[in-house]
């Protein structure tokens, strides 16, 4: 929207997190907190988003690359001082400015849109997003006069005993007339218990000028959660997980046990798929319809087709087509492409390989750096020997190939179509079409030899 701007405050280090990672970069359901905030604002199609960075500036900017402009707060002197850093980009412009904290990952675009609409309807110079808290300890309080008009915001450390009884709290999110905001910021002082420049003091300044100050109370208090330590981080994670799972269920996905199912925010799941307890779906994962994803499965940055069954397995950065069966206890590693109706059985590992339609790797095998044709059967205990200690090499297996159990295919090697590899063979040379390849020592039986070791005839 033209003449609509947003300032996201993300400069603080977050000492209470006790972490090398800067506070706003701590992930909630797979995404840094600040990225959740910026994406909710972007959903409103604002003209410009400005993120105020400080500690960890380069890392924050890399996560938000292309989603925001950036200004730097060299010294953390308070929230008003942080907002002032955006003056070179926004001061003097006509319009509305939304100010948010980068550690409030549960805010939704719906609530922000309601705040902006309320601000416009009230023709206000400032509108505070507030919430009703059962335990308001630690929050700034909304002080109203007898008519219910907002007079000011008082921070916890500056609040009298009477003010501390107020349960309507400041969420740290505001909507301002842009010009009025920057004019008032120039009047803010640091005469308070923290000796900081509070953004909340702008509210009192505007009221003294008889400007309209409004307050919009959000419907869901949980959206206001600001993450300042690991306890709040866990709370945010749990609330976000619940929100994500409920969204999928309302869209036709069966989640058997939502409390024990972890789905990150960018995951897409089609209707009539069943997600069993203990499943973890991460990153940019897409799952089709009518799938069954069973317990203790982890899928990361992968695409899963329709009618796929995955049982207690791990899949990373791979593509699984329709009708595939995976597991139990299979591991499909990055850059694998599994065509339709393939079976990847128990204790099978696939890496950087393409498996064509209808092929089967039922159990206890490793297929890495390989191309496998259609309708191939790879027997138990067989492996593509892809690493010579220095370099990786490719194995090519044609169509309708039978690889007997416990075979070693030493790459680089090509197994042509319609061939048969005898069990226990170590193949080091190419196998031509329609051939039987046998590469194992000849069996020799020494009659009576076992008696020397105490094995009597019976």
């Amino acid at each position: 929207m033209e003449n609509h701007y947003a300032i996201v405050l993300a400069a603080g280090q977050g000492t209470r997190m006790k972490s090398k990672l800067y506070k706003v970069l701590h992930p909630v359901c797979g995404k840094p907190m600040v990225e959740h905030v910026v994406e909710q604002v972007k959903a409103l199609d604002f003209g410009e988003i400005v993120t105020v960075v400080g500690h960890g500036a380069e890392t924050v900017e890399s996560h938000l690359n292309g989603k925001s402009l950036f200004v730097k707060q060299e010294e953390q002197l308070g929230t008003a001082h942080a907002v002032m850093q955006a003056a070179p980009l926004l001061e003097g412009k006509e319009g509305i400015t939304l100010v948010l904290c980068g550690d409030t990952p549960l805010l939704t675009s719906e609530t922000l849109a309601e705040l902006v609409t309320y601000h416009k309807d009230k023709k206000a110079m400032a509108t505070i997003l507030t919430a009703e808290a059962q335990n308001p300890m630690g929050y700034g309080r909304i002080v109203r006069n007898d008519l219910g008009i907002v007079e000011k915001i008082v921070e916890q450390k500056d609040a009298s005993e009477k003010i501390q009884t107020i349960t309507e709290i400041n969420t740290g999110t505001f909507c301002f007339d842009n010009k009025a905001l920057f004019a008032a910021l120039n009047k803010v002082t640091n005469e308070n218990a923290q000796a900081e420049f509070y953004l909340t003091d702008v509210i009192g300044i505007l009221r003294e000028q008889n400007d309209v100050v409004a307050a919009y109370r959000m419907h869901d208090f949980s959206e206001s959660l600001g993450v300042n330590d690991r306890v709040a981080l866990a709370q945010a994670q749990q609330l976000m997980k619940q929100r994500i799972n409920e969204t999928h269920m309302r869209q036709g996905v069966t989640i058997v046990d939502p409390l024990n199912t972890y789905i990150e925010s960018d995951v897409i799941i089609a209707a009539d798929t069943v997600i069993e307890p203990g499943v973890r779906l991460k990153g940019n994962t897409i799952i089709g319809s009518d799938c069954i994803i069973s317990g203790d499965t982890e899928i990361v940055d992968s695409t899963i087709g329709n009618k796929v069954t995955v049982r207690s397995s791990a899949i990373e950065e791979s593509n699984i087509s329709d009708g595939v069966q995976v597991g139990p206890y299979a591991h499909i590693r990055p850059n694998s492409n599994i065509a339709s109706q393939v079976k990847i059985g128990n204790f099978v590992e696939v890496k950087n390989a393409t498996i064509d339609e209808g092929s089967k790797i039922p159990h206890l095998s490793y297929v890495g750096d390989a191309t496998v044709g259609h309708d191939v059967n790879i027997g138990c205990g067989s492996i593509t020997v892809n690493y010579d200690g220095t370099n990786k090499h490719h194995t090519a297996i044609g169509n309708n190939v039978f690889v007997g159990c416990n075979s070693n295919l030493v790459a680089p090697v090509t197994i042509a179509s319609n061939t048969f590899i005898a069990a226990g063979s170590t193949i080091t040379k190419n196998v031509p079409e329609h051939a039987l390849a046998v590469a194992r020592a000849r069996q020799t039986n020494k009659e009576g030899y076992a008696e020397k070791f105490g094995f009597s005839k019976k």
Side-chain angles (χ1 to χ4, degrees), residues 184-185 187-188 201-211:
L185 285 170
K187 300 177 183 179
V188 173
D201 287 350
V202 168
I203 301 303
I205 291 168
L206 294 175
R207 286 292 299 126
E208 288 174 4
Q209 299 171 179
N210 293 319
D211 289 322

Side-chain angles (χ1 to χ4, degrees), residues 58-101:
E58 292 182 1
T59 312
V60 174
E61 290 177 22
S62 68
H63 277 287
L64 300 179
N65 185 33
K67 298 178 181 180
S68 175
L69 302 173
F70 303 95
V71 293
K72 191 167 185 180
Q73 186 186 21
E74 296 289 352
E75 293 183 90
Q76 277 67 61
L77 303 178
T79 49
H81 179 258
V83 174
M84 276 298 293
Q85 308 313 300
L89 297 178
L90 298 180
E91 189 172 20
K93 291 186 176 183
E94 298 279 354
I96 291 172
T97 295
L98 198 60
V99 179
L100 317 88
C101 297

